């Protein structure tokens, strides 16, 4: 379709002056797929000097971050032209000289004179990406080097504890037990740190299986009640509850983080209640404690990386549990939130979409098949 007429022309002429001075790459594409405008930053980023057409099979400019070539029908501008939304999408841009840049793509359709043009931006994040990778590598190397000596400390402390106990030296044996527990705690913190550096899986890499949240919650409660004094974790779940579609170990990790926090941030004599509530389109799981609660002004920051609130007492914790939980829940199309009354307690909830509502084995069947 010919581009542009009247308003569209007016828009492009004026917008061009503005776009030309932007540091972000800007591309404007007509409904035909023809690139009708691109600024200097776009030339600098992509190295392309010829406008071209986004449907041209010869132009293969983009890779996904895992280096898979982006097929023609998945090109972001092609998707936008097809009416899809593309927001903060990460790509590797291959330049004609063989070098590559990391870029974040955003775009929108703009209706002008009955035509729809696509206005897209590419932000060069190559340097930020390099720094992030360096940070990730450092954490991996350091944690790898720390894990082995920690495992030795923990194992030796256990052996010594047993020897001291058999010699009747109970106070010394208790000290050894503390050393071994502290080493285990440190190993857990290192694991959390490593987990937090993992890149969010890409949609095609997200593994899914049917997950019965009631069974998951009951198994977790049984396990925690068998190792924690007071059997504090209670599960309230109706039967049957439709299954959701996710990786059960990752969702289990989310629930465990929330329940461990609830145990950690509430008095030892109070219960922690896990509720599973089926809805039309989602299943919601909530974890309620009668703990310190969270001041209102801290709530928006809770899910940020490394954020630790005023309720955190004691040394254990890195401020990563809720950050990882949110990332996981969002990977599976869900939401996570918190309601809290300071001094009375908190309820952390997450909801995940129901995939199929028929032909699903009941939760009891699943529990039995797992011997639970
Ligand atoms: P961590 O527990 O390691 O500090 P999290 O990311 O799990 O990290 O939690 C972030 C912060 O949220 C905590 O430092 C704490 O202040 C607050 N928080 C989390 N869960 C609760 C809870 N159940 N009750 C009160 N505060 C909580």
């Amino acid at each position: 379709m010919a581009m542009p007429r009247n308003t569209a022309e007016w828009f492009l002429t004026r917008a061009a002056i503005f776009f030309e001075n932007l540091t972000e790459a800007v591309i404007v594409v007509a409904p035909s797929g023809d690139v009708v405008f691109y600024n200097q930053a776009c030339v600098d980023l992509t190295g392309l000097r010829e406008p071209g057409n986004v449907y041209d099979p010869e132009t293969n400019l983009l890779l996904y971050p895992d280096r898979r070539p982006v097929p023609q029908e998945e090109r972001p501008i092609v998707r936008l032209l097809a009416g899809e939304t593309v927001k903060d999408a990460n790509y590797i841009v291959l330049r004609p000289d063989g070098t590559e840049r990391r870029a974040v793509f955003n775009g929108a359709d703009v209706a002008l004179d009955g035509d729809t043009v696509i206005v897209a931006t590419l932000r060069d994040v190559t340097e930020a990406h390099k720094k992030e990778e360096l940070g990730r590598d450092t954490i991996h190397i350091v944690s790898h080097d720390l894990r082995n000596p920690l495992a030795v400390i923990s194992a030796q402390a256990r052996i010594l504890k047993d020897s001291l106990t058999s010699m009747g030296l109970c106070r010394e044996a208790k000290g050894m037990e503390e050393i071994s527990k502290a080493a285990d705690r440190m190993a857990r913190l290192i694991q959390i740190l490593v987990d937090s550096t993992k890149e969010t899986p890409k949609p095609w890499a997200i593994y899914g299986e049917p997950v019965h949240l009631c069974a998951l919650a009951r198994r977790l409660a049984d396990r925690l009640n068998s190792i924690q004094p007071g059997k504090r974790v209670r599960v309230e779940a109706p039967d049957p509850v439709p299954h959701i579609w996710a990786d059960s170990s990752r969702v289990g990790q989310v629930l465990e983080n929330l329940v461990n926090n609830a145990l950690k941030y509430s008095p030892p004599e109070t219960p922690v209640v896990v509720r599973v509530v089926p809805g039309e389109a989602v299943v919601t799981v909530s974890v309620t404690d009668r703990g310190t609660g969270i001041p209102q002004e801290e709530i928006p920051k809770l899910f940020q990386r490394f954020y630790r609130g005023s309720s955190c007492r004691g040394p254990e914790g890195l401020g990563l549990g809720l950050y990882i939980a949110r990332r996981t829940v969002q990977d599976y199309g869900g939401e996570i939130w918190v309601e809290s009354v300071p001094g009375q307690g908190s309820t952390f909830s997450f909801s995940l979409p129901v995939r199929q509502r028929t032909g699903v084995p009941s939760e009891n069947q699943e529990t039995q098949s797992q011997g639970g």
Side-chain angles (χ1 to χ4, degrees), residues 272-312:
V272 165
V273 181
V274 181
R275 288 189 184 88
V276 183
V277 182
E280 256 300 294
V282 294
V283 179
T284 302
V285 181
S286 61
V287 179
T288 302
D289 64 58
R290 293 193 207 151
T292 47
I294 302 160
Q296 203 56 35
E297 65 277 11
E298 290 184 12
I299 286 184
K301 300 182 238 165
L302 285 188
F303 297 91
Q304 291 171 6
R305 193 168 8 185
F306 297 124
Y307 181 79
R308 301 203 75 204
S310 53
S311 51
C312 66

Side-chain angles (χ1 to χ4, degrees), residues 32-88:
S32 59
D34 283 335
V35 176
V36 292
F37 173 83
Y38 57 102
N39 63 356
Q40 183 56 40
C42 181
V43 177
D44 296 343
L45 174 60
T46 63
L48 281 186
R49 300 198 173 272
E50 293 302 322
N53 183 292
V54 295
Y55 294 113
D56 182 357
E58 296 302 311
T59 335
N60 190 15
L61 192 69
L62 295 179
L63 300 181
Y64 283 118
D66 67 351
R67 309 202 67 79
R68 252 180 2 119
V70 177
Q72 197 209 45
E73 67 280 7
E74 289 177 25
R75 288 179 188 169
I77 293 181
V78 172
R79 288 174 52 198
L80 285 166
L81 285 167
E84 285 181 50
T85 311
V86 187
K87 204 167 162 277
D88 291 330

Side-chain angles (χ1 to χ4, degrees), residues 24-27 76-77 80 85-91 103-108 118-123:
E24 288 206 352
V26 179
I27 309 164
I77 293 181
L80 285 166
T85 311
V86 187
K87 204 167 162 277
D88 291 330
N90 281 278
Y91 296 103
V104 177
F105 180 99
N106 275 291
I118 301 299
V119 180
T121 63
L122 272 171
R123 187 157 34 92

Side-chain angles (χ1 to χ4, degrees), residues 189 192 257-266 287-295 298 301-313 315-325 338 340 345-348:
L189 293 178
I192 294 175
N257 278 345
L258 298 185
V259 174
N260 274 333
N261 274 351
L263 292 166
K264 195 161 69 169
Y265 298 116
S266 61
V287 179
T288 302
D289 64 58
R290 293 193 207 151
T292 47
I294 302 160
E298 290 184 12
K301 300 182 238 165
L302 285 188
F303 297 91
Q304 291 171 6
R305 193 168 8 185
F306 297 124
Y307 181 79
R308 301 203 75 204
S310 53
S311 51
C312 66
R313 304 156 282 162
E316 185 158 1
L318 287 173
L320 286 171
L322 291 179
Y323 166 75
I324 296 170
V338 57
S340 185
S346 313
T347 297
F348 281 81

